Amino acid sequence: MGIYTIRREGVQEPEDVGVVIEGTTVMNNLGSVIMAFIVLFGLIYALDLSYPNDLKYTFDF
C-alpha cells in the first residue's frame, strides 16, 4: 500500500500521482501527494483494510 509519483527530470510538478494497494494501482491522476494521502486513508477506512504492522506507530505521539 502506498503512494507513487511520476516526475520528469527538471520539472517540479509531478506528471502523475496515484495510490497502489497490494500491487494494483487503484487511483491515478490525483494531482498532488496531499490528495493521494487523503484518498489512501479514505480507502483504508472504506475498504476496512488492516493498517500495516510496520507502520502502526506512525501517528503515535
Side-chain angles (χ1 to χ4, degrees):
M1 147 178 354
I3 297 170
Y4 72 86
T5 60
I6 298 174
R7 293 184 181 199
R8 290 183 189 232
E9 193 170 326
V11 178
Q12 190 152 359
E13 292 296 317
E15 185 176 316
D16 187 19
V17 178
V19 175
V20 175
I21 296 178
E22 295 182 359
T24 303
T25 302
V26 292
M27 299 282 294
N28 61 356
N29 294 323
L30 293 174
S32 69
V33 175
I34 295 169
M35 183 57 77
F37 186 78
I38 293 167
V39 168
L40 177 62
F41 272 86
L43 287 169
I44 290 170
Y45 177 77
L47 298 174
D48 197 25
L49 298 174
S50 60
Y51 203 71
N53 284 335
D54 57 339
L55 299 176
K56 66 182 175 182
Y57 297 115
T58 301
F59 298 106
D60 193 24
F61 295 97

